[in-house]
Amino acid sequence: MYIGRVAFSGPDGVEPRIVVAENTAGPWLDLRAAERLRLERRGAAVSAARRIALALVPGSTAAALEGGVAFFEAAHAALAAGDEEVTVAGSPTFLAPLDPTAYRDFMAFEDHFSFGYRWRGLPVPEVLYEFPVSYMGSVQGIIGPEEEVPWPHFCEHMDFELELGIVIGRSGRDIRPQDAHHYIAGFTILNDFSARDIQLKEMAAGLGPSKGKHFATAIGPWIAAAGQVTADNLRMRARINGEIWCDSSSSEIMWPVSEIVAWASASEHLAAGTLLGTGTANRGCGVELGRRLAPGDLVELDIEGLGVLRNRMGRPREGWTPVRRQRKDTDKNTLS
Amino acid sequence: MYIGRVAFSGPDGVEPRIVVAENTAGPWLDLRAAERLRLERRGAAVSAARRIALALVPGSTAAALEGGVAFFEAAHAALAAGDEEVTVAGSPTFLAPLDPTAYRDFMAFEDHFSFGYRWRGLPVPEVLYEFPVSYMGSVQGIIGPEEEVPWPHFCEHMDFELELGIVIGRSGRDIRPQDAHHYIAGFTILNDFSARDIQLKEMAAGLGPSKGKHFATAIGPWIAAAGQVTADNLRMRARINGEIWCDSSSSEIMWPVSEIVAWASASEHLAAGTLLGTGTANRGCGVELGRRLAPGDLVELDIEGLGVLRNRMGRPREGWTPVRRQRKDTDKNTLS
């Protein structure tokens, strides 16, 4: 099963609708309409069927996943019925398949992360071999397939990152690696766009990347349900303006998906609808290749079984940046 | 005006209810009930009044703030009417006043952040004087006043952090510092509990703190509306088991609240319901004082005009941690 979201333009503006399909070529079924139909056939009045279907299948995928098994039952029933009257017609515009509750990105590919430190002239920290290290990203920065990537005013060195996205389908805490598969709804392609210049400045402070990442993270074009793909051996490629820059594989991962999920939930709450990134695949970004993105570039990420996530870079714009402050007392604050 | 949330126990379990007051001593008014009453008095049928009041005043403060001016109109109308029948009786249990859309923490107090680097034997990075540096925290880790702080299984060195919390009341992008006050709904106390041992390990990787912070961030006991306090000169104190450990002031801040809000929104979307932390006040945590927290300790943060946020530390428990990995090739991955 594949789960996506398409744009529907109605009297209240453009709204997302959750759609499901057996194959990415379609047909895609409008899940709320399918559930409404199923309820009507089981005796519900039209208005009640609409009300219940809306509660079970909201526009938010995260809210839908929070509904638990009931949501997946509706999805499977829709595919089993396969009603033509709820098929999405024409060429729908796919939106980000998930509006994540939280977005958290790991560093699980050793060749990538060790390159990153060597590139900056730093030793590779021991902690990266002790547990999978992560940072929280911004859910407000999530964009979907074909959306233009806003180019922040403080960035001159733009890059992409080819990653596997893990969609959490069930809330948990202290999940063991051997149970992790019960908590994974599926997988999607993730492009963690990176403003390298400001990211490097920020990381010098030790708090991690922030402005260097928040402006945009692309996901999509849909979610492949967990049973659909085996995450541990997927070919992962990146094409820029049609040219292959990277040909990698998820099989090179050092921290497996099960341990990423387990550690993300260790002594903290992992919510349904959370998006976890594996971190960049080996050779899966421009800095590893000595290349950078330019305004207008077309970036395509292609992961076996997950489709192609395509985004075009926007153009730089104007914006405010703070005025530098003076150190209170240089001798006191800097180590000699 | 003060905005809080109290626990209501009904047939569907414990639910949060938004309450408002002119003074923190009360009376606290149940805002949904007050709005329902106001609608009824203006001719709404009882069931319609309930429906509309629920939409305007949900249990989620973030969702309520997303409602825009309509929410604040309801709050002001409730206080103006001051109906006794919607007064919260007895001694309500206050919950976290906000379920943030996003939580992002800055480093705006120079003595605190410069201490942090010296403590680790590192120079203070220039970037901290170039713009206010931040990291994204976990909204799933938010706890309220009087809630016990879960002690993660991987922590031996526990600390608190005394911070001012800024509540964003209106969504924006590229907000200028001079306009920031239009986007601030109010202020609350924020305790950014920190597992220092794992935090230091994580920060060595440059991605910032993650497991060292996500287990708990306390906020409350309520939100003081922006007009109620002037954020730039508030006395800030921390007491542990009744003993004053810290007596600081928001007047020592290097990056003002207006620039924190502006930079948080520069080339990215800042959502209504977001919680921004100023970062720890000068001298506002245990490491600056050479002290650490123990299981069972009572931590009280007291900010002038905002009340007292009180939490007791829980006790360590068991949990899974990953098995350390071997480096693929030590010579290749470590700088000589």
Side-chain angles (χ1 to χ4, degrees), chain A residues 116-129:
Chain A
Y117 293 93
R118 293 196 309 274
W119 181 62
R120 290 179 282 153
L122 300 171
V124 183
E126 263 307 300
V127 66
L128 292 160
Y129 299 89

Side-chain angles (χ1 to χ4, degrees), chain B residues 258-329:
Chain B
S258 58
E259 295 196 38
I260 287 174
V261 170
W263 188 236
S265 75
S267 279
E268 64 177 286
H269 182 74
L270 180 65
T274 296
L275 174 68
L276 302 176
T278 54
T280 309
N282 292 333
R283 306 172 300 286
C285 66
V287 289
E288 283 192 65
L289 310 162
R291 304 179 79 162
R292 49 176 78 187
L293 296 177
D297 276 353
L298 183 66
V299 183
E300 292 175 293
L301 303 188
D302 183 335
I303 301 185
E304 190 183 349
L306 300 184
V308 177
L309 174 62
R310 190 181 292 111
N311 297 92
R312 194 174 287 281
M313 305 309 297
R315 295 186 180 278
R317 29 177 304 294
E318 294 298 301
W320 175 81
T321 46
V323 174
R324 182 187 285 270
R325 295 305 198 269
Q326 286 296 312
R327 284 172 192 259
K328 200 190 255 184
D329 176 352

Side-chain angles (χ1 to χ4, degrees), chain B residues 37-288:
Chain B
L37 202 59
R38 184 167 77 115
L39 288 157
E40 283 180 38
R41 286 181 183 146
R42 296 166 74 202
V46 174
S47 63
R50 281 195 189 124
R51 186 181 73 234
I52 301 166
L54 173 62
L56 265 172
V57 189
S60 158
T61 316
L65 290 170
E66 285 172 344
V69 170
F71 170 73
F72 289 100
E73 280 175 354
H76 288 296
L79 291 172
D83 281 302
E84 238 182 78
E85 69 179 281
V86 300
T87 297
V88 178
S91 304
T93 298
F94 280 86
L95 305 171
L98 177 69
D99 51 320
T101 314
Y103 159 48
R104 182 168 179 174
D105 205 16
F106 283 81
M107 289 211 288
F109 286 93
E110 182 181 7
D111 287 356
H112 168 74
F113 70 64
S114 63
F115 174 91
Y117 293 93
R118 293 197 309 273
W119 181 63
R120 290 179 280 154
L122 301 170
V124 182
E126 264 305 301
V127 65
L128 292 160
Y129 299 90
E130 192 176 340
F131 53 78
V133 175
S134 68
Y135 70 94
M136 282 285 183
S138 172
V139 297
Q140 272 77 41
I142 297 291
I143 62 172
E146 310 289 348
E147 271 193 74
E148 187 180 272
V149 181
W151 190 298
H153 63 276
F154 41 70
C155 171
E156 291 185 1
H157 182 176
M158 180 64 78
D159 204 354
F160 68 96
E161 291 192 338
L162 168 59
E163 305 194 14
L164 182 64
I166 305 156
V167 178
I168 299 300
R170 180 178 154 193
S171 295
R173 191 184 180 94
D174 289 318
I175 300 163
R176 300 290 162 145
Q178 60 270 30
D179 301 322
H181 61 282
H182 294 303
Y183 295 83
I184 299 172
F187 300 94
T188 190
I189 305 172
L190 193 159
N191 193 337
D192 184 34
F193 287 102
S194 302
R196 296 294 186 200
D197 30 16
I198 199 152
Q199 181 194 347
L200 288 194
K201 282 184 185 178
E202 289 180 323
M203 287 175 72
L207 288 197
S210 186
K211 302 302 290 184
K213 299 282 193 178
H214 295 171
F215 62 95
T217 306
I219 58 170
W222 36 68
I223 299 163
Q228 207 69 42
V229 293
T230 310
D232 58 7
N233 190 17
L234 300 173
R235 189 175 181 187
M236 301 173 75
R237 282 177 294 179
R239 283 187 297 275
I240 314 299
N241 301 322
E243 179 195 347
I244 292 181
W245 282 21
C246 160
D247 194 343
S248 193
S249 169
S250 69
S251 65
E252 299 177 22
I253 206 163
M254 189 181 79
W255 294 108
V257 166
S258 58
E259 295 196 38
I260 287 174
V261 170
W263 188 236
S265 75
S267 279
E268 64 177 286
H269 182 74
L270 180 65
T274 296
L275 174 68
L276 302 176
T278 54
T280 309
N282 292 333
R283 306 172 300 286
C285 66
V287 289
E288 283 192 65

Side-chain angles (χ1 to χ4, degrees), chain A:
Chain A
M1 177 171 66
Y2 298 87
I3 303 166
R5 291 200 302 170
V6 301
F8 171 74
S9 203
D12 291 321
V14 177
E15 294 181 85
R17 306 274 305 191
I18 295 179
V19 293
V20 293
E22 298 272 19
N23 300 292
T24 58
W28 288 91
L29 306 177
D30 182 301
L31 185 52
R32 192 188 303 163
E35 179 63 12
R36 174 184 53 72
L37 202 59
R38 184 167 78 113
L39 288 158
E40 283 179 38
R41 286 180 183 149
R42 296 167 72 203
V46 174
S47 62
R50 282 195 188 126
R51 185 181 72 233
I52 301 166
L54 173 62
L56 266 171
V57 190
S60 158
T61 316
L65 291 169
E66 286 172 344
V69 170
F71 169 73
F72 289 99
E73 281 175 357
H76 287 296
L79 290 172
D83 282 302
E84 240 182 77
E85 70 180 280
V86 300
T87 296
V88 178
S91 304
T93 299
F94 280 87
L95 305 172
L98 177 68
D99 51 320
T101 314
Y103 160 48
R104 183 170 177 171
D105 205 16
F106 283 81
M107 288 210 291
F109 287 92
E110 181 181 9
D111 286 356
H112 168 74
F113 69 66
S114 64
F115 174 90
Y117 293 93
R118 293 196 309 274
W119 181 62
R120 290 179 282 153
L122 300 171
V124 183
E126 263 307 300
V127 66
L128 292 160
Y129 299 89
E130 191 176 339
F131 53 79
V133 175
S134 68
Y135 70 93
M136 282 285 182
S138 172
V139 297
Q140 272 77 43
I142 297 291
I143 63 172
E146 310 291 345
E147 271 192 74
E148 186 180 272
V149 181
W151 190 298
H153 62 276
F154 41 71
C155 172
E156 292 185 2
H157 182 175
M158 180 64 78
D159 203 355
F160 69 96
E161 291 193 337
L162 168 60
E163 305 196 14
L164 181 65
I166 306 156
V167 178
I168 299 299
R170 179 179 154 193
S171 295
R173 191 185 181 92
D174 289 318
I175 301 163
R176 300 291 163 143
Q178 60 269 30
D179 301 322
H181 60 283
H182 294 303
Y183 294 84
I184 300 172
F187 300 94
T188 191
I189 305 172
L190 193 159
N191 194 339
D192 185 33
F193 287 102
S194 302
R196 296 295 187 201
D197 31 15
I198 199 154
Q199 181 193 347
L200 288 194
K201 283 184 185 179
E202 289 180 322
M203 287 176 72
L207 288 196
S210 187
K211 301 304 290 185
K213 298 283 193 177
H214 295 172
F215 61 96
T217 305
I219 58 171
W222 36 67
I223 299 164
Q228 208 68 42
V229 293
T230 310
D232 57 8
N233 190 17
L234 301 173
R235 189 174 183 188
M236 301 172 76
R237 283 177 294 180
R239 285 187 296 274
I240 314 299
N241 301 324
E243 178 195 346
I244 291 182
W245 281 22
C246 160
D247 194 344
S248 192
S249 169
S250 69
S251 66
E252 299 178 22
I253 206 164
M254 188 181 80
W255 294 108
V257 166
S258 59
E259 295 198 38
I260 286 173
V261 171
W263 188 237
S265 75
S267 278
E268 64 177 287
H269 183 73
L270 181 65
T274 295
L275 174 68
L276 303 176
T278 55
T280 309
N282 293 333
R283 307 172 298 286
C285 66
V287 289
E288 283 192 64
L289 310 161
R291 304 180 79 159
R292 49 176 78 187
L293 296 178
D297 276 354
L298 183 67
V299 183
E300 292 176 293
L301 303 189
D302 182 335
I303 300 185
E304 189 184 349
L306 300 184
V308 177
L309 174 61
R310 190 180 294 109
N311 297 91
R312 194 175 286 281
M313 306 310 298
R315 296 188 179 276
R317 28 177 305 293
E318 294 297 302
W320 175 83
T321 46
V323 174
R324 182 185 284 271
R325 295 305 197 270
Q326 285 298 313
R327 285 173 191 259
K328 199 191 258 183
D329 176 351
T330 305
D331 292 331
K332 179 180 151 203
N333 290 331
T334 312
L335 284 185
S336 54

